[in-house]
Amino acid sequence: MLLKEVLLKNDFIRNGYWDLKTNIYNRQGRHREKEAKRRIYKKLCDGSKINIVLIASRKQTWFFDELFILLSENQLFSVTVIVSPFVKSGKEEMIHYAMELSNELTEKQIPFLAGYDTADDKYIDLCDSIQPDIAIFTTNWEYHAHPYFHMKHFDKSLNYIVSYAMHVVDNKGVYASPANYLCYKEFLPDGRLIEVADKYRKTSKGNYAVTGSPKLDRYTQDIQVKKDPWKKDHKHYKRIIWAPHFSFEDTGDVYVVASFYEICDYMIELAREYSDRAEFVFKPHPLLRHELEKHWSIEKIDSYYCEWDSMDNTQFFNGSYADLFLTSDAMIFDSISFIVEYLFTLKPALYTVCKNAKLTFNSFGMDAFDRHYHTKNIKEDIKRFIDNVILNESDPLMDKRKEFVSQFLNQNNKKSSQMIYDIINDDLNDIKKGTK
């Protein structure tokens, strides 16, 4: 074992080391910010276009349709979409995710550049070739991306974070990673997260704007379902989503939500039992399959996923899920971000609490969590939820969900994408005036 690893097992040394690193990142971030603003000021004064990049790695992290349109329609900006390689789960999955997102962007007629060349098996340094003035990231997690697409590498741009996750857990890594210190501004979905974030930022307070989330714009505007992804006639079948998270082992993180391993066979049994009354969609976290490879054989994984596609009233689903949510009747889940996101459909959901569950919510997350049904005896409570809440439509938590959504929307009087766009323009105006 390396000496560094031995020393970092000591809490005092580890915390001191972390404080030193974050102080360095904070200084780097403020220096980069100063230089980026100087370059942007020069461009604004001489009428040059401001280069903006929007970076996403998977379909599930692309929610910039409206923001892309707003930016593209402004003659001040030159907008580039980057499909960043998602390296966490191996090259095969990385290529799959990139292809899925590329196909979606092509279908929407949104031009993009790929960060990985499949033919030459080569990662492409788009930051160097584009030279962005502003970069907008959807995550602060370094391990998701190739180093060319870390915020560390975008050292000449003014960097923003619009997180794909809702950040409902009390997690230091969400708010005090290198990217949090290097970025210029973070757009947060809820005002309560400012206090949570600053609790972990010892060397400096963050620069935040509360804007809601572009992911939620889809549910809060005049809703028009683009595609009904279900197999069955909605008139005669209730539509139930099962959305398990991927976590399994307790790695010392603030949450363990691995109910999949307790109920994976039981959910198939229920799909068979209710085949004349309900349709089930298996919509796992995209990383579940990768995690399963540590515990199951490839043959077992393939067999399990195929079983969900083989029955008349079931299917496996791993695409963009807004229409799936909007056309569903209920969800059974333990995926963390859905605690907030599914509330905006106003439909009932059951959160499955596993035997070794470890849940440390922040105030925003706990408020959302309390608006859902929860299990104590996991299998019995799932069946009770299907019988009583879904089939018999007895839903005592409906008013609590409506209250949460109303309170959330009252924080902002615009859609999130519009707010983000306006704030970026305000920031540029301040730079031109010399006030920032």
Side-chain angles (χ1 to χ4, degrees), residues 243-257:
H245 197 256
F246 70 89
S247 64
F248 177 59
E249 297 168 334
D250 187 349
T251 57
D253 207 343
V254 294
Y255 61 86
V256 176
V257 292

Side-chain angles (χ1 to χ4, degrees), residues 215-384:
K215 291 178 77 174
L216 301 177
D217 285 349
R218 180 76 175 88
Y219 307 105
T220 56
Q221 56 194 2
D222 292 334
I223 295 171
Q224 183 176 358
V225 174
K226 298 174 183 176
K227 182 180 179 181
D228 186 337
W230 298 78
K231 289 180 177 179
K232 292 288 189 179
D233 173 9
H234 199 183
K235 184 177 180 180
H236 299 101
Y237 289 83
K238 292 294 186 181
R239 295 171 162 183
I240 303 170
I241 301 167
W242 177 38
H245 197 256
F246 70 89
S247 64
F248 177 59
E249 297 168 334
D250 187 349
T251 57
D253 207 343
V254 294
Y255 61 86
V256 176
V257 292
S259 65
F260 173 84
Y261 299 88
E262 290 182 41
I263 60 173
C264 55
D265 294 330
Y266 183 63
M267 292 304 295
I268 288 177
E269 291 175 19
L270 289 176
R272 292 195 180 106
E273 180 179 345
Y274 291 94
S275 61
D276 61 334
R277 290 164 284 171
E279 180 178 354
F280 290 75
V281 162
F282 174 49
K283 194 258 169 283
H285 190 288
L287 294 180
L288 177 63
R289 186 183 181 94
H290 175 68
E291 185 68 24
L292 280 174
E293 290 176 4
K294 301 175 186 178
H295 309 283
W296 289 6
S297 68
I298 297 298
E299 292 77 13
K300 183 176 180 180
I301 297 170
D302 288 343
S303 175
Y304 186 81
Y305 275 64
C306 285
E307 190 159 12
W308 278 101
D309 264 335
S310 67
M311 290 183 277
D312 189 47
N313 69 318
T314 65
Q315 63 175 301
F316 163 66
F317 188 93
N318 198 33
S320 298
Y321 51 80
D323 285 344
L324 180 75
F325 280 16
L326 290 168
T327 53
S328 68
D329 290 301
M331 183 161 69
I332 298 166
F333 77 113
D334 64 4
S335 283
I336 298 296
S337 283
F338 292 168
I339 289 173
V340 172
E341 194 166 346
Y342 197 72
L343 280 174
F344 282 76
T345 69
L346 296 179
K347 296 171 183 183
L350 176 71
Y351 190 93
T352 52
V353 182
C354 62
K355 290 177 182 176
N356 63 333
K358 185 166 71 172
L359 299 168
T360 308
F361 292 114
N362 55 45
S363 56
F364 173 53
M366 183 55 70
D367 187 19
F369 183 73
D370 285 343
R371 315 292 174 136
H372 295 294
Y373 301 93
H374 320 124
T375 62
K376 292 182 180 178
N377 300 303
I378 191 165
K379 292 183 179 179
E380 296 89 337
D381 289 342
I382 290 173
K383 196 168 191 314
R384 189 176 297 114

Side-chain angles (χ1 to χ4, degrees), residues 34 56 85 123 150 177 206 229 281 424:
K34 181 179 178 181
Y123 298 94
H150 290 175
S177 73
V281 162
I424 291 172

Side-chain angles (χ1 to χ4, degrees), residues 138-183:
T138 60
T139 182
N140 65 335
W141 299 120
E142 282 189 6
Y143 61 85
H144 283 189
H146 183 274
Y148 282 163
F149 302 94
H150 290 175
M151 195 178 293
K152 290 177 184 176
H153 189 59
F154 284 68
D155 58 351
K156 293 181 172 60
S157 53
L158 208 57
N159 299 322
Y160 295 79
I161 297 176
V162 186
S163 180
Y164 75 93
M166 290 297 163
H167 298 325
V168 296
V169 295
D170 200 2
N171 187 346
K172 180 178 181 179
V174 169
Y175 306 105
S177 73
N180 296 103
Y181 287 95
L182 292 173
C183 81

